[in-house]
Amino acid sequence: MDKIVPSLLYNMHDPGFVPVDIESPKDEELPAQVAETVFRDLICRASFGNLKPVLKPILIHMDNHKLWTPPTFVIRVFKIVMYSVQIKPVSRFSFFK
């Protein structure tokens, strides 16, 4: 994850990029669109309790490349994270397993 997530973020960080439209034709996909789709899928597959391996590389990448100001890219990335996280139901008796 330490190499995958920063690579996806690097490809997503295109100033002229328009967010992914689900109905867009697949023939004209740009690298930023593919990276965002893979990033969303990666986060969807991570459980709520295992987000640290995804969030840590995001924060490190933002710090290393000084992307906190202006916060437009950071806001977009964390919106993707927040909308992609899947909360899995927890059983009442999961503590006894």
Side-chain angles (χ1 to χ4, degrees):
M1 289 292 194
D2 290 339
K3 294 183 181 182
I4 295 170
V5 173
S7 298
L8 292 172
L9 293 174
Y10 179 81
N11 286 321
M12 286 171 52
H13 191 200
D14 181 10
F17 174 66
V18 180
V20 173
D21 181 18
I22 302 301
E23 303 298 323
S24 68
K26 298 291 181 194
D27 299 337
E28 301 173 8
E29 285 187 326
L30 300 173
Q33 291 174 331
V34 174
E36 184 174 327
T37 303
V38 171
F39 186 65
R40 287 178 190 273
D41 189 44
L42 179 72
I43 294 170
C44 282
R45 295 184 189 280
S47 67
F48 186 72
N50 293 329
L51 280 179
K52 186 176 179 181
V54 175
L55 291 177
K56 186 177 178 183
I58 292 172
L59 295 173
I60 291 172
H61 180 79
M62 299 296 178
D63 282 342
N64 289 344
H65 296 282
K66 298 175 179 56
L67 296 174
W68 296 106
T69 54
T72 53
F73 180 65
V74 176
I75 290 171
R76 192 176 95 207
V77 168
F78 280 102
K79 279 185 179 179
I80 291 170
V81 170
M82 295 305 294
Y83 290 123
S84 299
V85 170
Q86 300 287 321
I87 298 177
K88 300 193 170 118
V90 177
S91 171
R92 303 186 334 191
F93 302 108
S94 64
F95 298 110
F96 299 111
K97 292 183 179 180

Coordinates of all heavy atoms in Angstrom, one line a residue:
M1 N 0.8 -1.2 0.0 CA 0.0 0.0 0.0 C 0.9 1.3 0.0 O 0.4 2.3 -0.5 CB -0.9 0.0 1.2 CG -2.0 -0.9 1.2 SD -3.2 -0.5 0.0 CE -4.5 -1.6 0.4
D2 N 2.1 1.2 0.5 CA 2.9 2.3 0.6 C 3.4 2.9 -0.7 O 3.8 4.0 -0.8 CB 4.1 2.1 1.5 CG 3.8 1.9 3.0 OD1 2.7 2.4 3.4 OD2 4.6 1.3 3.7
K3 N 3.3 2.0 -1.7 CA 3.7 2.5 -3.1 C 2.5 2.6 -4.0 O 2.5 3.4 -4.9 CB 4.7 1.5 -3.7 CG 6.0 1.5 -3.0 CD 7.0 0.5 -3.6 CE 8.3 0.6 -2.8 NZ 9.3 -0.3 -3.4
I4 N 1.4 1.8 -3.8 CA 0.3 1.9 -4.6 C -0.5 3.1 -4.5 O -0.8 3.8 -5.4 CB -0.6 0.6 -4.4 CG1 0.1 -0.6 -4.7 CG2 -2.0 0.8 -5.1 CD1 -0.6 -1.9 -4.3
V5 N -0.8 3.5 -3.2 CA -1.7 4.7 -2.9 C -1.0 6.0 -3.4 O -1.6 6.8 -4.1 CB -2.1 4.7 -1.4 CG1 -2.8 6.0 -1.1 CG2 -3.0 3.6 -1.1
P6 N 0.3 6.2 -3.1 CA 0.9 7.4 -3.6 C 0.9 7.5 -5.2 O 0.8 8.5 -5.8 CB 2.3 7.4 -3.1 CG 2.2 6.6 -1.9 CD 1.2 5.5 -2.2
S7 N 1.1 6.3 -5.8 CA 1.1 6.3 -7.3 C -0.3 6.7 -7.8 O -0.4 7.4 -8.8 CB 1.5 4.9 -7.8 OG 2.8 4.6 -7.4
L8 N -1.3 6.2 -7.2 CA -2.7 6.5 -7.6 C -2.9 8.0 -7.4 O -3.5 8.7 -8.3 CB -3.7 5.7 -6.9 CG -3.7 4.2 -7.2 CD1 -4.6 3.5 -6.2 CD2 -4.1 4.0 -8.6
L9 N -2.5 8.5 -6.3 CA -2.7 10.0 -6.0 C -1.9 10.8 -7.0 O -2.4 11.9 -7.4 CB -2.3 10.3 -4.5 CG -3.1 9.7 -3.4 CD1 -2.5 9.9 -2.1 CD2 -4.5 10.2 -3.5
Y10 N -0.7 10.4 -7.3 CA 0.1 11.2 -8.3 C -0.6 11.2 -9.6 O -0.7 12.3 -10.3 CB 1.5 10.5 -8.4 CG 2.4 11.2 -9.4 CD1 3.1 12.4 -9.1 CD2 2.5 10.8 -10.7 CE1 3.9 13.0 -10.0 CE2 3.3 11.4 -11.6 CZ 4.0 12.5 -11.3 OH 4.7 13.2 -12.2
N11 N -1.2 10.1 -10.1 CA -1.9 10.1 -11.3 C -3.2 10.9 -11.3 O -3.7 11.4 -12.3 CB -2.1 8.7 -11.8 CG -0.9 8.0 -12.3 OD1 -0.1 8.7 -13.0 ND2 -0.7 6.8 -12.0
M12 N -3.8 10.9 -10.1 CA -5.1 11.6 -9.9 C -4.9 13.1 -9.9 O -5.8 13.9 -10.3 CB -5.8 11.2 -8.6 CG -6.4 9.9 -8.7 SD -7.0 9.3 -7.1 CE -8.0 10.7 -6.5
H13 N -3.7 13.6 -9.5 CA -3.4 15.0 -9.3 C -3.1 15.7 -10.7 O -2.0 16.0 -11.0 CB -2.3 15.2 -8.3 CG -2.2 16.7 -7.9 ND1 -1.1 17.2 -7.4 CD2 -3.1 17.7 -8.0 CE1 -1.2 18.5 -7.1 NE2 -2.5 18.8 -7.5
D14 N -4.2 15.9 -11.4 CA -4.1 16.6 -12.7 C -5.0 17.8 -12.5 O -6.2 17.7 -12.4 CB -4.6 15.7 -13.8 CG -4.5 16.4 -15.1 OD1 -3.9 17.5 -15.3 OD2 -5.0 15.8 -16.1
P15 N -4.4 19.1 -12.6 CA -5.2 20.3 -12.4 C -6.4 20.4 -13.3 O -7.5 21.0 -12.9 CB -4.3 21.4 -12.6 CG -2.9 20.8 -12.4 CD -3.0 19.4 -12.8
G16 N -6.4 19.9 -14.5 CA -7.5 20.0 -15.4 C -8.4 18.9 -15.4 O -9.3 18.7 -16.3
F17 N -8.3 18.0 -14.4 CA -9.1 16.8 -14.4 C -10.5 17.0 -13.9 O -10.7 17.8 -13.0 CB -8.4 15.8 -13.4 CG -9.2 14.5 -13.2 CD1 -9.4 13.6 -14.2 CD2 -9.7 14.3 -11.9 CE1 -10.2 12.5 -14.0 CE2 -10.5 13.1 -11.7 CZ -10.7 12.2 -12.7
V18 N -11.4 16.4 -14.6 CA -12.8 16.4 -14.2 C -13.1 15.1 -13.6 O -12.7 14.1 -14.1 CB -13.7 16.6 -15.5 CG1 -15.2 16.7 -15.1 CG2 -13.3 17.9 -16.3
P19 N -13.9 15.1 -12.4 CA -14.2 13.9 -11.7 C -14.8 12.8 -12.6 O -15.5 13.2 -13.6 CB -15.1 14.3 -10.6 CG -14.8 15.7 -10.4 CD -14.4 16.3 -11.7
V20 N -14.7 11.6 -12.3 CA -15.1 10.5 -13.1 C -16.6 10.5 -13.2 O -17.4 10.6 -12.3 CB -14.7 9.1 -12.5 CG1 -15.3 7.9 -13.2 CG2 -13.2 9.0 -12.5
D21 N -17.1 10.3 -14.5 CA -18.5 10.1 -14.7 C -18.7 8.6 -15.0 O -18.1 8.0 -15.9 CB -18.9 10.9 -16.0 CG -20.4 10.8 -16.3 OD1 -21.2 10.4 -15.4 OD2 -20.8 11.1 -17.4
I22 N -19.6 8.0 -14.2 CA -19.8 6.6 -14.3 C -20.2 6.2 -15.7 O -19.9 5.1 -16.2 CB -20.9 6.1 -13.3 CG1 -20.4 6.5 -11.9 CG2 -21.1 4.6 -13.4 CD1 -19.1 5.9 -11.4
E23 N -20.9 7.0 -16.4 CA -21.5 6.7 -17.8 C -20.5 7.1 -18.9 O -20.9 7.0 -20.0 CB -22.8 7.5 -18.0 CG -23.8 7.2 -16.9 CD -24.3 5.7 -16.9 OE1 -24.3 5.1 -18.0 OE2 -24.5 5.2 -15.8
S24 N -19.3 7.4 -18.6 CA -18.3 7.8 -19.6 C -17.9 6.6 -20.4 O -17.8 5.5 -19.9 CB -17.1 8.5 -19.0 OG -16.3 7.6 -18.3
P25 N -17.6 6.9 -21.7 CA -17.2 5.8 -22.6 C -15.8 5.3 -22.1 O -14.9 6.1 -21.8 CB -17.1 6.4 -24.0 CG -17.1 7.8 -23.8 CD -17.7 8.1 -22.4
K26 N -15.5 4.0 -22.2 CA -14.3 3.4 -21.8 C -13.1 3.6 -22.7 O -12.0 3.5 -22.4 CB -14.4 1.9 -21.5 CG -15.5 1.6 -20.5 CD -14.9 2.0 -19.1 CE -16.0 1.6 -18.1 NZ -15.7 2.2 -16.8
D27 N -13.4 4.0 -24.0 CA -12.4 4.2 -25.0 C -11.5 5.4 -24.7 O -10.4 5.4 -25.1 CB -13.0 4.3 -26.4 CG -13.8 3.0 -26.8 OD1 -13.5 2.0 -26.2 OD2 -14.7 3.1 -27.6
E28 N -12.1 6.4 -24.1 CA -11.4 7.7 -23.9 C -10.9 7.9 -22.5 O -10.8 9.1 -22.1 CB -12.3 8.8 -24.4 CG -12.7 8.7 -25.8 CD -13.8 9.7 -26.2 OE1 -14.0 10.6 -25.4 OE2 -14.3 9.6 -27.3
E29 N -10.6 6.9 -21.7 CA -10.2 7.1 -20.4 C -8.8 7.7 -20.2 O -7.9 7.2 -20.9 CB -10.2 5.7 -19.6 CG -11.6 5.3 -19.3 CD -11.6 4.0 -18.4 OE1 -10.7 3.2 -18.6 OE2 -12.6 3.9 -17.6
L30 N -8.7 8.7 -19.4 CA -7.4 9.3 -19.1 C -6.8 8.6 -17.9 O -7.5 8.0 -17.1 CB -7.7 10.8 -18.8 CG -8.3 11.6 -19.9 CD1 -8.7 13.0 -19.4 CD2 -7.4 11.7 -21.1
P31 N -5.5 8.7 -17.7 CA -4.8 8.1 -16.6 C -5.4 8.5 -15.2 O -5.5 7.8 -14.3 CB -3.4 8.5 -16.7 CG -3.2 8.7 -18.2 CD -4.5 9.3 -18.7
A32 N -5.8 9.8 -15.2 CA -6.4 10.3 -13.9 C -7.7 9.7 -13.6 O -8.0 9.4 -12.5 CB -6.5 11.8 -14.0
Q33 N -8.5 9.4 -14.6 CA -9.8 8.7 -14.4 C -9.6 7.3 -14.0 O -10.3 6.8 -13.1 CB -10.6 8.8 -15.7 CG -11.1 10.2 -16.1 CD -11.8 10.2 -17.4 OE1 -11.5 9.4 -18.3 NE2 -12.7 11.1 -17.5
V34 N -8.7 6.6 -14.6 CA -8.4 5.2 -14.3 C -7.9 5.1 -12.8 O -8.3 4.3 -12.0 CB -7.4 4.6 -15.2 CG1 -7.0 3.2 -14.8 CG2 -8.0 4.5 -16.6
A35 N -7.0 6.1 -12.5 CA -6.4 6.1 -11.1 C -7.5 6.3 -10.1 O -7.5 5.7 -9.0 CB -5.3 7.2 -11.0
E36 N -8.4 7.2 -10.4 CA -9.5 7.5 -9.4 C -10.4 6.3 -9.3 O -10.8 6.0 -8.2 CB -10.3 8.7 -9.8 CG -11.4 9.1 -8.8 CD -12.1 10.3 -9.1 OE1 -11.6 11.3 -9.6 OE2 -13.3 10.4 -8.7
T37 N -10.7 5.6 -10.3 CA -11.6 4.4 -10.3 C -10.9 3.3 -9.5 O -11.5 2.7 -8.6 CB -11.9 3.9 -11.7 OG1 -12.5 5.0 -12.5 CG2 -12.8 2.7 -11.7
V38 N -9.6 3.1 -9.7 CA -8.9 2.1 -8.9 C -8.8 2.5 -7.5 O -8.9 1.7 -6.6 CB -7.5 1.9 -9.5 CG1 -6.6 1.0 -8.6 CG2 -7.6 1.3 -10.9
F39 N -8.6 3.8 -7.2 CA -8.5 4.3 -5.8 C -9.8 4.1 -5.1 O -9.8 3.6 -3.9 CB -8.1 5.8 -5.8 CG -7.9 6.4 -4.5 CD1 -6.8 6.0 -3.7 CD2 -8.7 7.4 -4.0 CE1 -6.6 6.6 -2.5 CE2 -8.5 8.0 -2.8 CZ -7.4 7.6 -2.0
R40 N -10.9 4.4 -5.7 CA -12.3 4.1 -5.1 C -12.5 2.6 -4.8 O -12.9 2.2 -3.8 CB -13.4 4.6 -6.1 CG -13.5 6.1 -6.1 CD -14.6 6.5 -7.1 NE -14.6 7.9 -7.4 CZ -15.3 8.8 -6.7 NH1 -16.0 8.4 -5.7 NH2 -15.3 10.0 -7.0
D41 N -12.1 1.8 -5.8 CA -12.2 0.4 -5.6 C -11.4 -0.2 -4.5 O -11.8 -1.0 -3.7 CB -11.9 -0.4 -6.9 CG -12.3 -1.8 -6.9 OD1 -13.4 -2.2 -6.4 OD2 -11.4 -2.6 -7.4
L42 N -10.2 0.3 -4.4 CA -9.2 -0.1 -3.3 C -9.8 0.3 -1.9 O -9.8 -0.6 -1.0 CB -7.9 0.6 -3.5 CG -6.8 0.3 -2.5 CD1 -6.3 -1.1 -2.7 CD2 -5.7 1.3 -2.6
I43 N -10.4 1.4 -1.8 CA -10.9 1.9 -0.5 C -12.2 1.1 -0.2 O -12.5 0.7 0.9 CB -11.2 3.4 -0.5 CG1 -9.9 4.1 -0.6 CG2 -11.9 3.8 0.8 CD1 -10.0 5.6 -0.8
C44 N -13.0 0.8 -1.2 CA -14.2 0.0 -1.0 C -13.9 -1.4 -0.5 O -14.7 -2.0 0.3 CB -15.0 -0.2 -2.3 SG -16.0 1.3 -2.8
R45 N -12.8 -1.9 -0.9 CA -12.4 -3.3 -0.5 C -11.7 -3.3 0.9 O -11.6 -4.4 1.5 CB -11.5 -3.9 -1.5 CG -12.3 -4.1 -2.8 CD -11.5 -4.8 -3.9 NE -12.2 -4.8 -5.1 CZ -13.2 -5.7 -5.5 NH1 -13.6 -6.5 -4.6 NH2 -13.7 -5.6 -6.7
A46 N -11.3 -2.2 1.4 CA -10.7 -2.1 2.7 C -11.8 -2.0 3.7 O -12.8 -1.3 3.5 CB -9.8 -0.9 2.8
S47 N -11.7 -2.8 4.8 CA -12.8 -2.7 5.8 C -12.5 -1.5 6.6 O -11.5 -0.9 6.7 CB -12.8 -4.0 6.7 OG -11.6 -4.0 7.4
F48 N -13.6 -1.1 7.4 CA -13.5 0.1 8.2 C -12.4 0.0 9.2 O -11.7 1.0 9.5 CB -14.8 0.3 8.9 CG -14.9 1.6 9.7 CD1 -15.0 2.8 9.0 CD2 -14.9 1.6 11.0 CE1 -15.1 4.0 9.7 CE2 -14.9 2.8 11.7 CZ -15.0 4.0 11.1
G49 N -12.1 -1.1 9.8 CA -11.0 -1.3 10.7 C -9.7 -1.3 10.1 O -8.7 -1.2 10.9
N50 N -9.5 -1.5 8.8 CA -8.2 -1.6 8.2 C -8.0 -0.4 7.3 O -7.3 -0.6 6.2 CB -8.1 -2.9 7.4 CG -8.1 -4.1 8.3 OD1 -7.7 -4.0 9.4 ND2 -8.7 -5.2 7.8
L51 N -8.4 0.8 7.7 CA -8.1 2.0 6.8 C -6.8 2.6 7.1 O -6.3 3.3 6.2 CB -9.2 3.0 7.1 CG -10.5 2.8 6.4 CD1 -11.5 3.9 6.7 CD2 -10.3 2.7 4.9
K52 N -6.1 2.2 8.1 CA -4.8 2.8 8.4 C -3.8 2.6 7.3 O -3.1 3.5 6.9 CB -4.3 2.3 9.8 CG -3.0 3.0 10.2 CD -2.5 2.5 11.6 CE -1.3 3.2 12.0 NZ -0.8 2.8 13.3
P53 N -3.7 1.4 6.7 CA -2.8 1.2 5.6 C -3.1 2.0 4.4 O -2.2 2.2 3.5 CB -2.9 -0.3 5.3 CG -3.4 -0.9 6.5 CD -4.3 0.1 7.1
V54 N -4.3 2.5 4.3 CA -4.7 3.4 3.2 C -4.5 4.9 3.5 O -4.0 5.6 2.7 CB -6.2 3.1 2.7 CG1 -6.6 4.1 1.7 CG2 -6.3 1.7 2.3
L55 N -4.9 5.2 4.7 CA -4.8 6.7 5.1 C -3.4 7.1 5.4 O -3.1 8.3 5.0 CB -5.7 6.9 6.4 CG -7.2 6.7 6.2 CD1 -7.9 6.9 7.6 CD2 -7.7 7.8 5.2
K56 N -2.6 6.3 5.9 CA -1.2 6.7 6.2 C -0.4 7.2 4.9 O 0.2 8.2 4.9 CB -0.4 5.6 7.0 CG 0.9 6.1 7.4 CD 1.6 5.0 8.2 CE 3.0 5.4 8.6 NZ 3.7 4.3 9.4
P57 N -0.5 6.4 3.9 CA 0.2 6.8 2.6 C -0.4 8.1 2.0 O 0.3 8.9 1.4 CB 0.1 5.7 1.7 CG -0.2 4.5 2.5 CD -0.9 5.0 3.7
I58 N -1.7 8.3 2.2 CA -2.4 9.5 1.7 C -1.8 10.7 2.4 O -1.4 11.7 1.8 CB -3.9 9.4 1.9 CG1 -4.5 8.4 1.0 CG2 -4.5 10.8 1.6 CD1 -6.0 8.1 1.3
L59 N -1.8 10.6 3.8 CA -1.3 11.8 4.5 C 0.2 12.0 4.3 O 0.6 13.2 4.1 CB -1.5 11.5 6.0 CG -2.9 11.4 6.5 CD1 -3.0 10.9 7.9 CD2 -3.7 12.7 6.3
I60 N 1.0 11.0 4.1 CA 2.4 11.2 3.8 C 2.6 11.8 2.5 O 3.4 12.7 2.3 CB 3.2 9.8 3.9 CG1 3.2 9.4 5.4 CG2 4.6 9.9 3.3 CD1 3.8 8.0 5.6
H61 N 1.8 11.3 1.5 CA 1.9 11.9 0.1 C 1.6 13.4 0.1 O 2.2 14.2 -0.5 CB 1.0 11.1 -0.8 CG 1.0 11.6 -2.2 ND1 2.0 11.3 -3.1 CD2 0.2 12.4 -2.9 CE1 1.8 11.9 -4.3 NE2 0.7 12.6 -4.2
M62 N 0.5 13.7 0.8 CA 0.1 15.1 0.9 C 1.1 16.0 1.6 O 1.4 17.1 1.1 CB -1.2 15.3 1.7 CG -2.4 14.5 1.1 SD -2.9 15.2 -0.5 CE -4.2 14.1 -0.9
D63 N 1.8 15.5 2.6 CA 2.9 16.2 3.3 C 4.1 16.4 2.4 O 4.7 17.4 2.2 CB 3.3 15.5 4.6 CG 2.3 15.8 5.7 OD1 1.5 16.8 5.6 OD2 2.3 15.0 6.7
N64 N 4.5 15.3 1.8 CA 5.7 15.3 0.9 C 5.6 16.2 -0.2 O 6.6 16.8 -0.6 CB 6.1 13.9 0.4 CG 6.6 13.0 1.6 OD1 6.9 13.5 2.6 ND2 6.6 11.7 1.3
H65 N 4.4 16.3 -0.8 CA 4.3 17.2 -2.0 C 3.6 18.5 -1.7 O 3.2 19.2 -2.6 CB 3.5 16.4 -3.1 CG 4.2 15.2 -3.6 ND1 5.2 15.3 -4.5 CD2 4.1 13.9 -3.2 CE1 5.7 14.0 -4.7 NE2 5.0 13.2 -4.0
K66 N 3.4 18.8 -0.4 CA 2.8 20.1 0.0 C 1.5 20.4 -0.7 O 1.3 21.5 -1.3 CB 3.9 21.2 -0.2 CG 5.1 21.0 0.6 CD 6.1 22.1 0.3 CE 7.4 21.9 1.2 NZ 8.1 20.7 1.1
L67 N 0.6 19.4 -0.7 CA -0.7 19.6 -1.3 C -1.8 20.1 -0.5 O -2.9 20.1 -0.9 CB -1.1 18.2 -1.9 CG -0.1 17.7 -3.0 CD1 -0.6 16.3 -3.4 CD2 -0.1 18.6 -4.2
W68 N -1.4 20.5 0.8 CA -2.5 21.0 1.7 C -3.1 22.3 1.3 O -4.2 22.6 1.6 CB -1.9 21.0 3.1 CG -1.6 19.7 3.6 CD1 -0.3 19.2 3.8 CD2 -2.5 18.6 4.0 NE1 -0.4 17.9 4.2 CE2 -1.7 17.5 4.4 CE3 -3.9 18.5 4.0 CZ2 -2.3 16.3 4.8 CZ3 -4.4 17.3 4.5 CH2 -3.6 16.2 4.9
T69 N -2.3 23.2 0.6 CA -2.8 24.5 0.2 C -2.5 24.6 -1.3 O -1.4 24.4 -1.8 CB -2.1 25.6 0.9 OG1 -0.7 25.5 0.7 CG2 -2.4 25.7 2.4
P70 N -3.5 24.9 -2.1 CA -4.9 25.0 -1.8 C -5.5 23.7 -1.5 O -5.0 22.7 -2.1 CB -5.5 25.7 -3.0 CG -4.6 25.3 -4.1 CD -3.3 25.2 -3.5
P71 N -6.5 23.6 -0.7 CA -7.0 22.3 -0.3 C -8.0 21.6 -1.3 O -8.6 20.6 -0.9 CB -7.8 22.6 1.0 CG -8.3 24.0 0.8 CD -7.2 24.7 0.0
T72 N -8.1 22.0 -2.5 CA -9.0 21.4 -3.4 C -8.8 20.0 -3.7 O -9.7 19.1 -3.7 CB -9.0 22.2 -4.8 OG1 -7.7 22.3 -5.3 CG2 -9.6 23.6 -4.6
F73 N -7.5 19.6 -3.9 CA -7.2 18.2 -4.2 C -7.4 17.3 -2.9 O -7.9 16.2 -3.0 CB -5.8 18.1 -4.7 CG -5.4 16.6 -5.0 CD1 -6.0 15.9 -6.0 CD2 -4.4 16.0 -4.3 CE1 -5.6 14.6 -6.3 CE2 -4.0 14.7 -4.5 CZ -4.6 14.0 -5.5
V74 N -7.0 17.9 -1.8 CA -7.1 17.2 -0.5 C -8.6 16.9 -0.2 O -8.9 15.8 0.2 CB -6.4 18.0 0.6 CG1 -6.7 17.3 2.0 CG2 -5.0 18.1 0.4
I75 N -9.4 17.9 -0.4 CA -10.8 17.7 -0.2 C -11.4 16.7 -1.1 O -12.2 15.8 -0.7 CB -11.6 19.1 -0.3 CG1 -11.2 20.0 0.8 CG2 -13.1 18.9 -0.4 CD1 -11.7 21.4 0.7
R76 N -11.0 16.7 -2.4 CA -11.5 15.7 -3.3 C -11.1 14.3 -2.9 O -11.9 13.4 -2.9 CB -11.0 16.0 -4.7 CG -11.8 15.2 -5.8 CD -11.3 15.6 -7.1 NE -10.3 14.6 -7.5 CZ -9.3 14.8 -8.3 NH1 -9.2 16.0 -8.9 NH2 -8.5 13.9 -8.6
V77 N -9.8 14.1 -2.5 CA -9.4 12.8 -2.1 C -10.1 12.3 -0.9 O -10.6 11.2 -0.8 CB -7.8 12.8 -1.8 CG1 -7.4 11.6 -1.1 CG2 -7.1 13.0 -3.1
F78 N -10.3 13.2 0.1 CA -11.0 12.7 1.4 C -12.5 12.5 1.2 O -13.1 11.7 1.9 CB -10.6 13.6 2.5 CG -9.3 13.3 3.1 CD1 -8.2 14.0 2.8 CD2 -9.1 12.1 3.9 CE1 -6.9 13.7 3.3 CE2 -7.9 11.8 4.4 CZ -6.8 12.6 4.1
K79 N -13.1 13.2 0.2 CA -14.5 12.9 -0.2 C -14.6 11.5 -0.8 O -15.5 10.8 -0.5 CB -15.0 14.0 -1.1 CG -15.5 15.2 -0.5 CD -16.1 16.1 -1.5 CE -16.6 17.4 -0.9 NZ -17.2 18.3 -1.8
I80 N -13.6 11.2 -1.6 CA -13.6 9.8 -2.2 C -13.4 8.8 -1.1 O -14.1 7.8 -1.1 CB -12.4 9.7 -3.2 CG1 -12.7 10.6 -4.4 CG2 -12.2 8.3 -3.6 CD1 -11.5 10.7 -5.4
V81 N -12.5 9.1 -0.1 CA -12.4 8.1 1.0 C -13.6 8.0 1.8 O -14.1 6.9 2.1 CB -11.2 8.6 1.9 CG1 -11.1 7.7 3.2 CG2 -9.9 8.5 1.1
M82 N -14.3 9.1 2.1 CA -15.4 9.1 3.0 C -16.6 8.4 2.3 O -17.4 7.7 2.9 CB -15.8 10.5 3.5 CG -14.8 11.1 4.4 SD -14.4 10.1 5.8 CE -15.9 10.2 6.7
Y83 N -16.8 8.6 1.0 CA -17.9 8.0 0.3 C -17.7 6.6 -0.1 O -18.6 5.9 -0.4 CB -18.3 8.9 -0.9 CG -18.9 10.2 -0.5 CD1 -18.4 11.4 -1.0 CD2 -20.0 10.2 0.3 CE1 -18.9 12.6 -0.7 CE2 -20.6 11.5 0.6 CZ -20.1 12.6 0.1 OH -20.6 13.8 0.5
S84 N -16.4 6.2 -0.1 CA -16.1 4.8 -0.5 C -16.0 3.8 0.6 O -16.0 2.6 0.4 CB -14.8 4.8 -1.3 OG -14.9 5.6 -2.5
V85 N -15.8 4.3 1.8 CA -15.7 3.4 3.0 C -17.0 2.6 3.2 O -18.1 3.2 3.2 CB -15.3 4.2 4.3 CG1 -15.4 3.3 5.5 CG2 -14.0 4.8 4.1
Q86 N -16.8 1.3 3.3 CA -17.9 0.4 3.5 C -17.9 0.0 5.0 O -17.0 -0.6 5.5 CB -17.8 -0.8 2.7 CG -17.8 -0.5 1.2 CD -19.2 -0.1 0.7 OE1 -20.2 -0.6 1.1 NE2 -19.2 0.8 -0.2
I87 N -19.0 0.3 5.7 CA -19.1 -0.1 7.1 C -19.8 -1.5 7.1 O -20.9 -1.6 6.6 CB -19.8 0.9 8.0 CG1 -19.1 2.2 8.0 CG2 -20.0 0.4 9.4 CD1 -19.8 3.3 8.8
K88 N -19.1 -2.4 7.6 CA -19.6 -3.8 7.7 C -20.3 -4.0 9.0 O -19.8 -3.6 10.0 CB -18.5 -4.8 7.5 CG -17.8 -4.6 6.2 CD -16.9 -5.7 5.8 CE -16.5 -5.5 4.4 NZ -15.5 -5.3 3.8
P89 N -21.5 -4.6 8.9 CA -22.2 -4.8 10.2 C -21.4 -5.7 11.1 O -20.8 -6.7 10.7 CB -23.5 -5.5 9.7 CG -23.3 -5.9 8.3 CD -22.2 -5.2 7.8
V90 N -21.5 -5.4 12.4 CA -20.8 -6.1 13.4 C -21.8 -6.9 14.2 O -22.8 -6.4 14.7 CB -20.0 -5.2 14.4 CG1 -19.3 -5.9 15.5 CG2 -19.0 -4.4 13.6
S91 N -21.5 -8.2 14.4 CA -22.4 -9.0 15.2 C -22.3 -8.7 16.7 O -21.2 -8.3 17.2 CB -22.0 -10.5 15.0 OG -22.7 -11.3 15.9
R92 N -23.4 -8.9 17.5 CA -23.3 -8.6 18.9 C -22.3 -9.5 19.6 O -21.8 -9.1 20.6 CB -24.7 -8.8 19.5 CG -25.8 -8.1 19.0 CD -27.1 -8.3 19.8 NE -27.2 -9.5 20.5 CZ -28.3 -9.9 21.0 NH1 -29.4 -9.2 20.9 NH2 -28.4 -11.0 21.7
F93 N -22.1 -10.7 19.1 CA -21.3 -11.7 19.7 C -19.9 -11.7 19.1 O -19.2 -12.7 19.4 CB -22.0 -13.0 19.7 CG -23.4 -13.0 20.3 CD1 -24.5 -13.1 19.5 CD2 -23.5 -12.9 21.7 CE1 -25.7 -13.0 20.1 CE2 -24.7 -12.9 22.2 CZ -25.9 -12.9 21.4
S94 N -19.5 -10.8 18.3 CA -18.2 -10.8 17.7 C -17.1 -10.7 18.7 O -15.9 -11.0 18.4 CB -18.1 -9.8 16.6 OG -18.1 -8.5 17.2
F95 N -17.3 -10.1 19.9 CA -16.3 -10.0 20.9 C -15.9 -11.3 21.5 O -14.8 -11.4 22.1 CB -16.7 -9.0 22.0 CG -17.0 -7.7 21.4 CD1 -18.3 -7.2 21.4 CD2 -16.0 -6.8 21.0 CE1 -18.6 -5.9 20.9 CE2 -16.3 -5.6 20.5 CZ -17.6 -5.1 20.5
F96 N -16.7 -12.3 21.4 CA -16.5 -13.6 22.0 C -15.8 -14.6 21.1 O -15.5 -15.7 21.5 CB -17.8 -14.2 22.6 CG -18.4 -13.3 23.6 CD1 -19.6 -12.7 23.3 CD2 -17.8 -13.1 24.8 CE1 -20.2 -11.8 24.2 CE2 -18.4 -12.3 25.7 CZ -19.6 -11.6 25.4
K97 N -15.5 -14.2 19.9 CA -14.9 -15.1 18.9 C -13.4 -15.2 19.1 O -12.8 -14.3 19.5 CB -15.3 -14.7 17.5 CG -16.7 -14.9 17.2 CD -17.0 -14.6 15.8 CE -18.5 -14.8 15.5 NZ -18.9 -14.5 14.2

